[in-house]
């Protein structure tokens, strides 16, 4: 009956021109296909007229905002299978009973009861609800049969309505049947697919065949490979005039050949003639050696402002030669970085000028200088730096102070770093864990430990003057590890 709709609060969407009207249904005329609203609101603003009448042809969408108690009681009295009047467009027909034909496709909207939503308060603008058009189709219910809905007034109230709107739209029937994972997985023939991939790769000479036939596809690359085409890498970028010498390699695979001590002396003399004086080499060697020593001592994990009570201790064993001056320079830089440095240097009547100047600078750092082995620490230190040996004077090993210092280093149980160790047929008096070579390495024995190489600033053309073809293997570093071939 048309009276079933009277009293319901509805929202009528009349298109972009007329806008949206909301109000209470006052009457429904089945003959003229019109519906009237009392106390209407137009686009959220209350109208000045008490009642507005709409034709079915003007209605684009209609949504029930609130169902009156009278309509609910009438529906209960009529029963769940009773028919109700549906407002149809002029081109349709009205019928009572559920057996009527459906409205044509793309016809005007059918007025169906919808979920209850909050009533529009007078004096305030309420947001317009989401309008979903309900068009008739050949598969729809009859024109006078109301679309069944889930009553949100029981079994959960308003929250139940929200759940039904999100998840209850025809999903119950779908979820009743479990998905057969095992049966679906059995349809995938893994062995056949991988066999097809391998055969396609063999046809493409190792490249994966993709795209159109005959199209050249690029080779596959690992995550650490460069995809840009480049010239092949030449790993032997340094060549020396002497063949058969010991060779080393860097982490990136570059070959670094060793040189004899005679060629090493010629190289340093050529560098000095071009302005790379002994003082500059001492400074560069001290910086590189101290940087390596700081890393061995723990680096940023050990040398922090919060760890001043556990400052590392380094013992420097130096002799009266250039190698000893290099060790003093290293000790000065370590002391400047808050390292406890104990420098051992025996007393001599005559010292090299380089040693005298380095000692003067070291005395300004606050480090300890001792000339007797008995004054060295009795407890183990963090690191021992060995600069006792000389390239040119091998007789120093017979001196009492040398033997006493070597015995102390071997008994201290601290790791040893040797700076610029010499090449000697004899066993090393102090077994080193690391050795630091300058410029190019010498053919060191196994007792030198792991070999590192530091850059002391010799230009490329200086290498060429002594017959060495040279390309720097250091990259972004000044100290690099070398591996024996």
């Amino acid at each position: 009956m048309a009276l079933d709709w009277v009293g319901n609060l509805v929202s009528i969407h009349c298109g972009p021109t007329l806008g949206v009207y909301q109000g209470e249904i006052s009457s429904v005329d089945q003959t003229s296909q019109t519906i009237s609203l009392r106390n209407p609101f137009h686009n959220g603003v209350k109208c000045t007229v008490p009642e507005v009448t709409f034709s079915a042809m003007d209605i684009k969408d209609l949504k029930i905002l609130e169902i009156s108690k009278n309509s609910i009681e009438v529906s209960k009295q009529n029963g769940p299978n009773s028919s109700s009047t549906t407002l149809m467009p002029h081109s349709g027909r009205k019928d009572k009973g559920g057996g009527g034909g459906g409205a044509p496709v793309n016809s005007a909207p059918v007025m169906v009861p919808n979920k209850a939503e909050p009533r529009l308060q007078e004096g305030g603008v309420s947001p317009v609800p989401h309008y979903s058009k309900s068009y008739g189709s050949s598969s729809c219910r009859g024109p006078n049969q109301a679309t069944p809905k889930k009553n949100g007034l029981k079994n959960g109230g308003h929250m139940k309505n929200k759940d039904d709107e999100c998840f209850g739209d025809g999903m119950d029937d779908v979820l009743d049947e479990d998905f057969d994972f095992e049966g679906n997985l059995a349809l995938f023939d893994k062995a056949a697919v991988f066999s097809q991939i391998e055969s396609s790769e063999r046809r493409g000479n190792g490249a994966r065949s993709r795209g159109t036939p005959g199209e050249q596809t690029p080779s596959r690359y690992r995550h650490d490979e460069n995809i840009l085409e480049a010239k092949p890498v030449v790993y032997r970028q340094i060549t020396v005039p002497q063949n058969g010498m010991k060779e080393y390699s860097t982490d990136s695979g570059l070959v670094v050949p060793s040189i004899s001590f005679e060629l090493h002396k010629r190289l340093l003399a050529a560098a000095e003639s071009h302005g790379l004086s002994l003082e500059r080499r001492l400074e560069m060697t001290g910086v590189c050696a101290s940087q390596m020593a700081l890393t061995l001592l723990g680096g940023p994990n050990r040398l922090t402002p919060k760890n001043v009570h556990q400052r590392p201790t380094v013992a420097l064993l130096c002799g009266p030669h250039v190698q000893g001056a290099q060790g003093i320079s290293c000790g000065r830089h370590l002391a400047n970085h808050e390292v406890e440095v104990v420098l051992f240097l025996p007393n001599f009547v005559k010292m090299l000028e380089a040693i005298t100047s380095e000692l003067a600078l070291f005395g300004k750092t606050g480090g300890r200088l001792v000339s007797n082995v008995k004054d060295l620490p009795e407890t183990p230190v963090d690191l021992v730096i060995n600069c006792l040996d000389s390239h040119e004077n091998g007789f120093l090993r017979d001196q009492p102070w040398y033997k006493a210092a070597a015995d102390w280093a071997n008994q201290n149980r601290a790791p040893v770093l040797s700076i610029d160790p010499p090449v000697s047929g004899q066993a090393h008096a102090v077994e080193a864990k690391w050795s630091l070579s300058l410029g190019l390495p010498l053919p060191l024995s196994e007792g030198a430990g792991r070999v590192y190489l530091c850059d002391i600033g010799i230009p490329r053309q200086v290498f060429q003057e002594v017959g060495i073809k040279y390309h720097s293997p250091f990259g972004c570093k000044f100290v690099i590890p070398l591996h024996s071939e």
Side-chain angles (χ1 to χ4, degrees):
M1 299 295 294
L3 295 178
D4 294 347
W5 301 101
V6 175
N8 292 342
L9 185 66
V10 298
S11 174
I12 299 177
H13 187 9
C14 299
T17 304
L18 297 178
V20 179
Y21 286 85
Q22 295 171 326
E24 183 181 347
I25 298 177
S26 58
S27 64
V28 177
D29 191 342
Q30 304 179 39
T31 304
S32 60
Q33 291 288 292
T34 59
I35 183 172
S36 299
L37 302 181
R38 69 165 64 96
N39 300 323
F41 284 78
H42 180 222
N43 293 333
V45 180
K46 188 173 183 180
C47 300
T48 57
V49 295
E51 190 176 63
V52 179
T53 302
F54 302 92
S55 175
M57 297 300 294
D58 298 330
I59 298 175
K60 304 299 181 184
D61 193 7
L62 188 148
K63 196 176 185 72
I64 300 294
L65 300 181
E66 187 176 297
I67 301 176
S68 65
K69 295 182 180 180
N70 295 331
S71 298
I72 297 176
E73 293 175 357
V74 171
S75 299
K76 290 181 178 180
Q77 293 173 4
N78 294 336
N81 297 325
S82 63
S83 61
S84 59
T85 303
T86 303
L87 189 64
M88 298 296 297
H90 289 297
S91 58
R93 66 185 181 87
K94 60 179 181 176
D95 192 7
K96 294 184 179 180
V105 179
N106 298 332
S107 62
V110 179
M111 186 180 75
V112 295
N114 206 333
K115 311 298 179 188
E117 294 189 17
R119 178 185 294 271
L120 179 68
Q121 299 295 330
E122 183 176 356
V125 180
S126 175
V128 179
H130 175 72
Y131 298 97
S132 57
K133 296 186 178 181
S134 302
Y135 291 97
S137 63
S138 58
S139 62
C140 294
R141 299 176 182 270
N144 294 332
Q145 184 176 358
T147 304
K149 71 180 186 67
K150 298 179 181 179
N151 192 350
L153 298 179
K154 54 184 177 179
N155 296 331
H158 183 66
M159 293 304 297
K160 180 66 176 177
N161 293 338
K162 296 298 182 182
D163 293 341
D164 291 342
E165 290 178 2
C166 295
F167 310 108
D169 189 9
M171 293 300 296
D172 296 337
D173 297 337
V174 179
L175 297 178
D176 289 341
E177 182 179 355
D178 294 336
F179 182 76
D180 187 6
F181 288 95
E182 295 183 359
N184 187 271
L185 184 60
L187 300 176
F188 176 68
D189 192 350
K190 183 177 179 180
V193 172
F194 277 93
S195 176
Q196 182 180 2
I197 294 175
E198 292 176 358
S199 61
S200 62
E201 290 180 352
R202 286 194 296 269
R203 289 196 303 268
N205 294 326
R208 182 171 294 178
S209 301
R210 293 178 292 188
T212 59
E215 180 183 358
Q216 186 176 4
T217 57
S219 300
R220 291 178 296 174
Y221 295 92
R222 299 196 311 269
H223 68 281
D224 58 345
E225 289 183 325
N226 190 0
I227 64 174
L228 300 178
E229 295 184 2
K231 297 180 180 179
V233 180
V234 179
Y235 290 101
R236 190 175 293 275
Q237 299 181 357
I238 303 175
T239 58
V240 296
Q242 301 163 333
N243 296 325
M245 302 296 292
K246 187 175 182 178
E247 290 186 340
Y248 300 89
S249 63
T250 64
D251 289 339
S252 58
L254 297 178
V255 178
V256 179
S258 62
I259 58 176
S260 63
F261 176 65
E262 289 75 15
L263 183 57
H264 184 71
K265 282 201 309 182
R266 289 170 49 198
L267 178 62
L268 295 181
E272 191 166 353
S273 65
H274 287 282
L276 191 62
S277 62
L278 175 61
E279 290 76 11
R280 299 180 68 175
R281 297 203 312 268
L282 291 177
E283 189 68 18
M284 194 68 185
T285 303
V287 170
C288 293
S290 61
Q291 186 179 22
M292 180 178 176
L294 290 172
T295 303
L296 297 176
L297 291 171
N301 298 324
R302 180 84 181 272
L303 300 166
T304 60
K306 297 181 180 180
N307 199 28
V308 293
H309 62 288
Q310 293 180 337
R311 294 170 58 183
T313 303
V314 174
L316 265 166
L317 308 180
C318 299
H321 37 64
V322 175
Q323 284 68 36
Q326 293 171 350
I328 299 173
S329 175
C330 174
R332 169 166 54 89
H333 290 290
L334 290 176
N336 289 337
H337 286 263
E338 302 299 327
V339 176
E340 293 284 351
V341 178
V342 180
L343 173 61
F344 168 78
L345 182 66
N347 288 325
F348 285 91
V349 178
K350 187 177 181 181
M351 290 279 191
L352 290 177
E353 183 180 354
I355 293 181
T356 304
S357 59
E358 288 295 334
L359 282 177
L361 290 173
F362 177 79
K364 306 297 182 181
T365 62
R368 282 180 57 194
L369 174 62
V370 298
S371 58
N372 196 326
V373 177
K374 296 180 180 180
D375 297 328
L376 289 171
E378 296 180 357
T379 58
V381 296
D382 295 277
L383 180 66
V384 174
I385 299 179
N386 178 25
C387 300
L388 294 174
D389 294 296
S390 172
H391 289 284
E392 299 178 345
N393 189 359
F395 299 102
L396 293 176
R397 293 191 172 192
D398 299 330
Q399 299 290 331
W401 61 267
Y402 183 97
K403 294 180 180 181
D407 292 340
W408 178 90
N410 292 328
Q411 296 175 5
N412 192 261
R413 302 194 305 273
V416 179
L417 168 63
S418 293
I419 299 178
D420 194 16
V423 179
S424 176
Q426 301 178 0
H428 291 271
V430 180
E431 292 292 331
K433 189 174 183 179
W434 309 281
S435 292
L436 184 63
S437 296
L438 312 181
L440 284 177
L442 300 175
L444 302 176
S445 62
E446 296 298 330
R450 188 173 183 182
V451 180
Y452 283 75
L453 185 67
C454 74
D455 184 9
I456 57 175
I458 301 177
R460 180 188 300 181
Q461 293 185 1
V462 177
F463 283 97
Q464 294 177 356
E465 287 187 9
V466 296
I468 300 176
K469 181 184 176 183
Y470 180 82
H471 288 273
S472 175
F474 292 98
C476 62
K477 300 179 181 179
F478 282 87
V479 178
I480 58 174
L482 296 181
H483 308 278
S484 297
E485 291 292 332

